[in-house]
Amino acid sequence: EVQLVESGGGLVQPGRSLRLSCLASGFTFSNYGMNWIRQAPGKGLEWVASISSSSSYIYYADTVKGRFTISRDNAKNTLYLQMTSLRSEDTALYYCARDPMFDYWGQGVMVTVSS
Amino acid sequence: DIQMTQSPASLSASPEEIVTITCQASQDIGNWLAWYQQKPGKSPQLLIYSTTSLADGIPSRFSGSRSGTQYSLKISRLQIEDTGIYYCLQRYSNPWTFGGGTKLELK
């Protein structure tokens, strides 16, 4: 059974940093591209970042480019999102999702940016 | 960036009815279109990919189609469990973009 489990969220002050993790199981993690998608409270879905299976290709939404870094450790079956210079508008539920076409999603992890 | 304009924003329908949700792409995206269902308090679930292909385990009551740059999700024989928010997604060109969502309520 494919499982994606996010962790690392919480309450953080504006300007600070946070690292999210997504632990994958039930499939060969190193064969799949992965993504982070977020959903602000009561709002729709927003794609944040993508990384290819071997980390050769990485893409970011303009809203996070230069502040967020997506990475992965295929030996640990784990996807990461390093978030720096956090802003109140980054407050959201963050999901990891598998390529292609986001066919599996985690349960999400909440990030709240507030003083 | 490619804009995905989804309509309607909300709709209410009765069990056994047929409903259609549409997404208008701002430019050609070929068949790089997917549909997701998000039930209250849950993660989104893939329904349709590549415009018309049904994801694993999804009932055949769900179907997708395309006319030019307009994409449609049709739900036949509505069931109570179809309540939720539906989103389209284009994966043709980065940044990948979602439609604004359609909230479906069952009467």
Side-chain angles (χ1 to χ4, degrees), chain A residues 39 47 50 99 101-102 106, chain B residues 36 38 43 89 91 94 96:
Chain A
Q39 187 168 35
W47 168 77
S50 295
D99 269 346
M101 304 307 278
F102 307 162
Chain B
Y36 301 84
Q38 186 175 31
S43 304
L89 166 73
R91 285 295 298 265
N94 190 271
W96 324 130

Side-chain angles (χ1 to χ4, degrees), chain A residues 36-74:
Chain A
W36 288 100
I37 297 138
R38 67 185 181 184
Q39 187 168 35
K43 302 296 184 183
L45 300 169
E46 179 190 16
W47 168 77
V48 172
S50 295
I51 186 168
S52 62
S53 57
S54 60
S55 304
S56 299
Y57 301 97
I58 289 175
Y59 304 100
Y60 297 98
D62 285 345
T63 51
V64 306
K65 199 174 295 181
R67 300 187 299 122
F68 289 11
T69 302
I70 188 172
S71 63
R72 64 190 296 160
D73 185 335
N74 286 343

Side-chain angles (χ1 to χ4, degrees), chain B residues 85-100:
Chain B
I85 302 176
Y86 293 79
Y87 296 94
C88 64
L89 166 73
Q90 69 81 17
R91 285 295 298 265
Y92 176 80
S93 169
N94 190 271
W96 324 130
T97 44
F98 289 92

